[in-house]
Amino acid sequence: MTKSENQIKTTCPYCGVGCGVIATKKADGTVTIKGDRNHPANYGRLCSKGSALHETLSLDDRLLYPEIDGERAAWNEALDLVAETFSATIAEHGPDSVAFYVSGQILTEDYYVANKLMKGYIGSANIDTNSRLCMASSVAGHRRAFGSDTVPGTYEDLDQADLVVLVGSNLSWCHPVLFQRIEAAKARNPAMRIVAIDPRRTATCELADLHLALAPDTDVALFNGLLAFLRETNAIDSTYIERHTKGYQDALKSAGPCDISKIARITGLSRQDIATFFAMVARTEKTVTVYSQGVNQSVSGTDKVNAIINTHLVTGRIGRPGMGPFSVTGQPNAMGGREVGGLANMLACHMNIENPDHRNLVQRFWNSPAMAERAGLKAVDMFKAVRDGRIKAIWIMATNPVDSLPDADEVALALKSCPFVVVSDVTKETDTAAYADVLLPAAAWGEKDGTVTNSERRISRQTGFLPHPAAAKPDWWIIAEVARRMGFAEAFDYSGPHGIFSEYAALSAYENYGSRDFDIGAFAGIDAEAYDRLEPVQWPRPAGETARDKRFFAGGGFYTEDRKANFVAVEFTEPRKLARKFPFVLNTGRIRDQWHTMTRTGKTPRLFAHIAEPYAELHPEDAQAIGVRDAELVEVASPHGKIVVRALISEKANMGSVFVPMHWTDQFASNARVDAVVAPETDRFSGQPGSKFTPAAVSKVECAWYGFAIFKDKPGTIGTDYWALAQADGGWRLELAGLQRGDFEDLCRSLCPGARDNETDLLSYVDERGGSARYAIWQNDQLIAAFFFALSPVEVSRQWACNHLGSKPANAADRYRILAGRPSADRPDCGAIVCSCFQVGVNQIIEAAKNGATGVAAIGETLQAGTNCGSCRSEINSLLNDLAAKGAHDDDIAKAG
């Protein structure tokens, strides 16, 4: 590193793995990113999203100044208005008439201050977080079994296990660094076995020795059967059960006998596969069960969690190396939010709001004038209360509920009717910000300072290496300033995040004496200098103890009243019946290279190269039944709403199910907000929505034409019936379709205003009989736009076309080749991108395989694909397997890259 460079250690802002990042700020202001080899969460690995962080730091869409009713305002004016309106609303309607909706994207210090203000000073528990949408069932399951929201194990268990069971987790795409860790462990220990339990055949299944494609929401039947099997084969730890648990017999009674034929009928699995899975678990002591959103995002999510935990309690496989139930979190600070009481039914430091002693303890520590005495409204119920007028003022921080909550159109109507809406965010280009009365500019990743906690309870620093742009401020500062103006100045007199962390640590130790799991008392009184030097540390870390990694519950010591774990008697409940009108199960989730609603990942072309358009994944037989072909458009509808997306027909889909990614918003597509279709049904214990199971209908959209276009500059208003916009190298790419024929040339000129200039050259080809047309526009010999129209989905290679943006063809033949959409010999088509890091396409991988690179490692040596972040390795393996089985083919998503 030269003297003109400045290296800062920080933490990735994406999933809950909590990867260490080293950001290097250079003298010219540019930033480079690499993984921190010394961070125990990732040891230098980063996924495709983390590797591209430096490409997302632009200010072009940032909210840089406070706004009131869409007009720029001074901070004092905006803060005064927020404080006065909240105070007046509380005075007139009571503390439960206001609410905060926060996010796993904010830092622990931000969370702590927001929770303290709402629960201890306003006196309501109406603060909830978007973590309710991903982790609440795990929290409820942990508390029912352990008496506390405790993750027992560590990432090292994944290295040491002999059997890893992945339940409802596409780890390869959603937690790629952990997937690579398991992949490496399996390479070191070929005897390790992987079982993937998921209705879909995802990229994760490529590593699995056994894939159990069970019917949606039948997990409880499978794990109850496993519990009974373990008992009937005596694969249990009777000593552990007797000494450290209670409720065993009730759980067995609820599970019933191990009737494999019955389980097969319920789950749709073969008897042989069920028996194989049960036997693998019974004979393998070092078993880790990793579960995620497929378990949590269910109306029976809490019961699923406890059915899994029961199988670990009965075997005593918990808290020891290489074994235990392991919930992997979806957001970078979902764990930190749980720790500080960001959920409406929790208090700070894992204390329970229903416990009067805990309420008294927290109130005495804060010396607060009021304390919430009951749980507040959970996310879905909170926005119902906004809709019906019970909540009259709401503050939304770093999240986008108009796109991410179920029944999202109702959420939009709720905010539209709410008397006062405050939004703190880094951008105003979100579907939620449109409903704000007050917009407050928050500092973004790379600018703010604080801590986050990852899935293995490891606290890491997120450190700023860029200045706050314009008037942007940290979330904790904004909240504290409002608190001061509401009359609570003394309690919120923080000079920096270190003071908040110090107070939080002191509260965790206050009257604890080992009675609560969360204790970081060692950091009480930490000063700014020590805080800046804070290394990643796993809790608990009581005062006087040296840093060490720790597992929980190997020798009991649970946090129930009698210190024994609870077996929870869970009964399988049949999933919702599908009506004739809505015969499909709609499942939603993430894709590999995007995050949440794309306010960050949508800023870099690299992360759109893999998948640039929303889609509905359908089984071929389902597609045939509704008369839809690959790449045509389909409507996905429920009683709550409908969307239009591209059809992706795949054998990897489950018959009767349709998968649609969660990421697309009105900023990127005409009508693809899938949560507008998702039912607002929730788990009765956790309040978490069942986002993986909504009865839906899928039908073909009869389009008169389809189109694809590329632009040097972002197009303005797009008025076509269907569109999906994405960044591309050198500009933008746009998918189009219409229900009626129109004038294609007029459409081109409306989307590319520069086409009307005298300095532009327009080259066109129109086939009136065939219904196709193509246009290319050059300005000063530089390609600024190209359009391709047809009666069926356009088959031009998207990546090849995008590569020409800004190019200067040498002769007329090159111009006509672009118009024809045909690559030249010296610029071959790489095909749909598989490896985002090195922009390696499917055609290149096929060609390399034909030339002898028949393994993932060989592809890496030949093309570099899969050698950086590794997120694409399972996809490469799948492609190679398909090539070996069926011959070379280009499985291009929707022929659209």
Side-chain angles (χ1 to χ4, degrees), residues 483-496:
R484 291 178 192 221
R485 286 164 168 78
M486 292 179 72
F488 311 127
E490 186 177 350
F492 292 85
D493 186 22
Y494 300 114
S495 61

Side-chain angles (χ1 to χ4, degrees), residues 234-246:
N234 201 34
I236 64 174
D237 187 333
S238 299
T239 301
Y240 191 90
I241 295 168
E242 182 179 351
R243 290 180 180 175
H244 304 304
T245 73
K246 60 187 177 186

Side-chain angles (χ1 to χ4, degrees), residues 630-660:
D630 208 21
E632 293 181 331
L633 297 184
V634 293
E635 179 185 273
V636 182
S638 77
H640 308 282
K642 59 187 178 181
I643 58 172
V644 175
V645 293
R646 191 79 70 169
L648 171 62
I649 300 171
S650 172
E651 294 279 357
K652 296 176 181 179
N654 218 8
M655 282 188 64
S657 292
V658 54
F659 174 83
V660 180

Side-chain angles (χ1 to χ4, degrees), residues 633 644 646 670 701-708 719-723 735-742 744 747 789-792:
L633 297 184
V644 175
R646 191 79 70 169
S670 52
V701 176
E702 297 290 349
C703 293
W705 59 270
Y706 290 85
F708 171 69
T720 55
D721 296 302
Y722 171 84
W723 60 266
E735 299 290 341
L736 302 156
L739 303 181
Q740 296 179 337
R741 285 294 300 271
F744 289 143
L747 178 59
F789 300 103
L791 300 183
S792 59

Side-chain angles (χ1 to χ4, degrees), residues 167-342:
V167 191
S169 172
N170 186 7
L171 210 66
S172 174
W173 278 20
C174 300
H175 300 89
V177 170
L178 288 188
F179 180 79
Q180 293 166 49
R181 190 164 185 159
I182 294 172
E183 189 178 44
K186 187 172 174 62
R188 291 192 304 269
N189 175 19
M192 174 191 269
R193 293 291 175 261
I194 311 292
V195 177
I197 302 175
D198 197 311
R200 300 171 61 220
R201 184 167 184 83
T202 66
T204 299
C205 298
E206 296 302 320
L207 187 64
D209 299 284
L210 177 64
H211 173 213
L212 300 179
L214 80 177
D217 271 358
T218 59
D219 310 63
V220 170
L222 181 66
F223 281 92
N224 270 354
L226 175 58
L227 179 68
F229 180 86
L230 294 169
R231 170 64 186 90
E232 291 170 17
T233 57
N234 201 34
I236 64 174
D237 187 333
S238 299
T239 301
Y240 191 90
I241 295 168
E242 182 179 351
R243 290 180 180 175
H244 304 304
T245 73
K246 60 187 177 186
Y248 172 49
Q249 292 300 327
D250 289 340
L252 280 179
K253 182 179 179 181
S254 184
C258 181
D259 184 340
I260 289 182
S261 294
K262 180 180 179 182
I263 297 167
R265 287 195 301 273
I266 291 170
T267 61
L269 301 172
S270 73
R271 295 176 72 255
Q272 180 60 51
D273 282 350
I274 295 168
T276 299
F277 169 54
F278 286 0
M280 291 170 75
V281 175
R283 67 172 179 258
T284 310
E285 182 180 35
K286 289 190 173 183
T287 296
V288 175
T289 307
V290 177
Y291 63 92
S292 192
Q293 310 310 351
V295 169
N296 296 322
Q297 289 180 336
S298 166
V299 296
S300 58
T302 304
D303 281 348
K304 290 183 184 183
V305 171
N306 286 116
I308 291 168
I309 290 173
N310 285 347
T311 66
H312 284 271
L313 292 176
V314 78
T315 54
R317 297 172 186 167
I318 187 168
R320 290 185 285 152
M323 59 188 82
F326 205 132
S327 160
V328 289
T329 48
Q331 293 192 81
N333 204 29
M335 288 284 281
R338 287 150 65 176
E339 292 156 11
V340 302

